[in-house]
């Protein structure tokens, strides 16, 4: 995030930025997704001020080419996408709840044995996460809010033989900040001023079993958590602003914590294994 | 008695999602306004087949079916006219819960038909 913050700072100060990608050896999906989203915002807001260097690593180049990152840096596409490590990655983005855009991801998950008694609900959770972004994430502006055409959701997914990994990002208001503005939460939090963002996010992500007893909460996060609770392993992490909430399916445990760095929006990381189902206890 | 059958997957979209028309092209509101409500007005009984789609999302289902109550249909009327067909009972249960909840909200606000 320091890398992203540094480029933000340089562009804000009017400088041109050259990103040297030559030393990249490995790309992590969560960081890469934020980078791709920010790259789209940077190049739209600062045309011609961002350039780059090809990665030395061919796989890294193929991946960044495949998701359009190199073109945004003024680098032409020169690789044929052949790497087995690149082909399973898929990148989608949009401003509307248009599930057709990521239908290939949904179909690939539903076509596998997700090891879940109601695997069809995966698509519901995904749609609801995107719906949350479109309906709530950009309801009011904060310092990192992009201009309207870029008030988007971004999805980066990896489909492998034994699992699917999905990351979803929006550059919106963040969950804790959004909740602190909602009328019913304002009342609820009056006597809980000591609640940190992470505890607030945990309350928002868990269902009616929590102590909040709030009637109108976003459905997307609790549905993802409930769905994940029927997985045998894998899990879900939601990073937003300064807070992270996680559910570990193997341990059947939720946790929340404060982050050392600020996420400029909300990042959902969802790890779904194939083939195994939790036995009834 | 005249009956109608609506297959969401084949007649509306294989990828329905979202609550309002402003949110996306295949939203619950669009389905309710363009297909479901007109059929309910025209036919004595309407069967909605949910199978064949790539999911829905609770916002879509709540707006499509709970929204019927908010636009004037009563829950008791819908219980007589509306049949939900799905291989996943979760969907059927949820839809009737959305209708019941919307009806309860309407009752609590004293909205009359």
């Amino acid at each position: 995030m320091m890398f992203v913050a540094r480029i933000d700072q340089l562009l804000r100060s009017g400088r041109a930025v050259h990103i040297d990608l030559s030393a990249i050896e490995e790309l992590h999906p969560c960081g890469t997704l934020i980078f791709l989203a920010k790259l789209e915002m940077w190049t739209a807001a600062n045309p011609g001020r961002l350039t780059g260097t090809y990665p030395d690593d061919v796989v890294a180049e193929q991946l960044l080419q495949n998701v359009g990152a190199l073109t945004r840096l003024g680098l032409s596409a020169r690789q044929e996408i052949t790497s087995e490590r690149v082909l399973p990655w898929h990148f989608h983005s949009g401003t509307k709840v248009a599930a057709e855009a990521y239908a290939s991801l949904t179909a690939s998950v539903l076509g596998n044995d997700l090891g879940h008694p109601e695997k069809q609900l995966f698509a519901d959770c995904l749609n609801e996460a995107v719906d949350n972004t479109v309906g709530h994430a950009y309801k009011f502006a904060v310092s990192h809010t992009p201009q309207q055409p870029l008030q988007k959701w971004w999805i980066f997914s990896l489909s492998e033989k034994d699992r699917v990994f999905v990351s979803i990002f929006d550059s919106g208001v963040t969950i804790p900040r959004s909740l602190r503005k909602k009328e019913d939460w304002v009342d609820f939090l009056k006597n809980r001023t000591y609640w940190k963002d992470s505890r607030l996010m945990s309350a928002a992500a868990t269902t009616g079993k929590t102590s909040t007893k709030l009637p109108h909460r976003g459905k997307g996060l609790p549905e993802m958590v409930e769905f994940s609770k029927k997985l045998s392993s894998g899990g879900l992490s939601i990073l937003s602003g300064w807070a992270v909430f996680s559910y570990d399916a193997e341990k059947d445990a939720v946790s929340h914590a404060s982050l050392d760095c600020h996420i400029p929006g909300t990042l959902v990381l969802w790890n779904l294994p194939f083939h195994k189902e939790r036995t009834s206890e | 008695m005249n009956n109608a059958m609506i297959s969401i997957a084949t007649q509306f979209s294989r990828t329905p999602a979202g609550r309002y028309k402003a949110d996306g092209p295949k939203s619950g509101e669009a389905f309710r306004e363009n297909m479901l409500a007109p059929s309910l007005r025209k036919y004595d009984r309407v069967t909605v087949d949910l199978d064949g789609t790539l999911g829905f999302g609770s916002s879509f289902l709540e707006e499509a079916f709970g929204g019927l109550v908010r636009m004037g249909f009563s829950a008791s009327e819908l219980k007589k006219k509306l049949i939900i067909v799905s291989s996943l009972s979760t969907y059927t249960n949820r839809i009737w819960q959305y209708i019941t909840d919307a009806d309860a909200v309407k009752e609590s606000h004293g909205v009359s038909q």
Side-chain angles (χ1 to χ4, degrees):
Chain A
M1 293 312 302
M2 285 172 66
F3 167 68
V4 165
R6 177 74 179 136
I7 296 175
D8 266 333
Q9 187 187 29
L10 289 167
L11 289 171
R12 267 202 307 270
S13 67
R15 307 269 291 272
V17 177
H18 182 82
I19 304 177
D20 182 1
L21 302 171
S22 63
I24 290 177
E25 292 175 354
E26 200 171 349
L27 289 155
H28 291 275
C30 43
T32 305
L33 179 60
I34 294 179
F35 173 68
L36 293 174
K38 292 294 288 187
L39 186 59
E40 190 173 346
M41 291 180 243
W42 290 330
T43 50
N46 307 278
R49 284 210 282 140
L50 217 61
T51 54
T53 309
Y54 288 105
D56 289 343
D57 184 275
V58 174
V59 175
E61 183 179 342
Q62 284 191 23
L63 182 62
L64 290 172
Q65 176 184 311
N66 205 29
V67 296
L70 298 183
T71 315
R72 291 191 189 284
L73 292 169
L75 300 167
S76 59
R78 60 183 192 180
Q79 294 284 343
E80 189 183 345
I81 310 301
T82 54
S83 170
E84 292 297 318
R85 291 169 62 197
V86 172
L87 291 168
W89 283 104
H90 299 282
F91 181 57
H92 314 276
S93 69
T95 56
K96 297 283 185 187
V97 192
E100 192 60 41
Y102 47 85
S104 57
L105 164 64
T106 314
S108 81
V109 172
L110 300 188
N112 268 292
D113 181 3
L114 193 56
H116 191 289
E118 293 181 309
K119 69 174 180 181
Q120 295 94 320
L121 299 182
F122 164 79
D124 293 50
C125 292
L126 193 57
N127 289 344
E128 212 53 27
V130 171
D131 190 76
N132 267 6
T133 297
V134 174
H136 304 291
Y138 297 104
K139 252 190 172 163
F140 58 93
V142 291
S143 61
H144 60 258
T145 306
Q147 293 298 308
Q148 213 288 325
L150 290 167
Q151 293 180 3
K152 299 174 71 172
W153 52 263
W154 291 266
I155 294 177
F156 205 25
S157 67
L158 168 65
S159 300
E160 293 181 312
K161 277 181 189 166
D162 59 347
R163 68 164 188 152
V164 63
F165 177 83
V166 183
S167 51
I168 308 162
F169 178 67
D170 70 68
S171 187
V173 66
T174 77
I175 295 167
R177 246 177 126 166
S178 166
L179 292 177
R180 288 187 193 282
K181 285 220 167 193
K182 277 190 174 177
E183 204 176 310
D184 44 6
W185 282 84
V186 168
D187 282 345
F188 174 73
L189 290 169
K190 262 182 193 162
N191 299 322
R192 294 171 177 83
T193 50
Y194 54 92
W195 270 35
K196 289 185 174 176
D197 283 358
S198 57
R199 187 163 176 192
L200 182 57
M201 205 156 80
S202 181
T206 46
T207 56
K209 298 178 189 72
T210 67
S211 60
T212 65
K213 296 186 172 58
L214 288 166
H216 303 294
R217 65 174 79 228
K219 292 274 197 290
L221 299 184
E223 284 182 10
M224 279 183 147
V225 175
E226 284 303 304
F227 182 89
S228 301
K229 284 185 173 177
K230 290 178 182 165
L231 296 168
S232 58
S233 60
L236 176 72
S237 289
I238 301 153
L239 300 88
S240 192
W242 292 101
V244 57
F245 165 85
S246 294
Y247 173 73
D248 182 327
E250 202 151 356
K251 294 177 183 163
D252 189 20
V254 295
S255 60
H256 58 88
S258 296
L259 292 168
D260 292 334
C261 61
H262 182 259
I263 302 291
T266 298
L267 177 68
V268 175
L269 306 172
W270 210 7
N271 186 15
L272 303 139
F274 295 141
H275 300 306
K276 289 194 291 184
E277 188 169 333
R278 171 172 290 164
T279 51
S280 52
E281 292 154 16
Chain B
M1 182 177 279
N2 55 356
N3 299 335
M5 164 71 93
I6 300 172
S7 163
I8 294 183
T10 58
Q11 293 171 259
F12 182 68
S13 174
R14 196 176 67 106
T15 52
R19 179 178 291 276
Y20 301 117
K21 287 188 278 192
D23 297 338
K26 300 297 176 185
S27 66
E29 185 183 34
F31 172 69
R32 172 169 51 80
E33 288 188 354
N34 300 338
M35 298 195 77
L36 185 54
S39 292
L40 284 164
R41 289 192 190 103
K42 188 173 177 185
Y43 296 97
D44 297 319
R45 189 162 286 179
V46 176
T47 302
V48 179
D49 182 0
L50 304 180
D51 288 340
T53 68
L54 287 174
F56 294 96
S58 53
S59 294
F60 176 92
L61 293 176
E62 201 290 324
E63 191 57 38
F65 295 94
L68 288 170
V69 176
R70 291 189 288 275
M71 77 186 304
F73 293 93
S74 69
S76 57
E77 181 185 8
L78 291 170
K79 276 172 191 160
K80 288 178 197 155
K81 296 190 77 162
L82 181 65
I83 299 165
I84 307 295
V85 175
S86 173
S87 55
L88 202 63
S89 60
T90 301
Y91 285 144
T92 316
N93 297 337
R94 273 192 198 174
I95 285 170
W96 286 112
Q97 191 61 52
Y98 293 143
I99 289 171
T100 305
D101 289 350
D103 206 51
V105 169
K106 196 161 84 170
E107 288 295 316
S108 72
H109 286 88
V111 179
S112 58
Q113 290 292 302

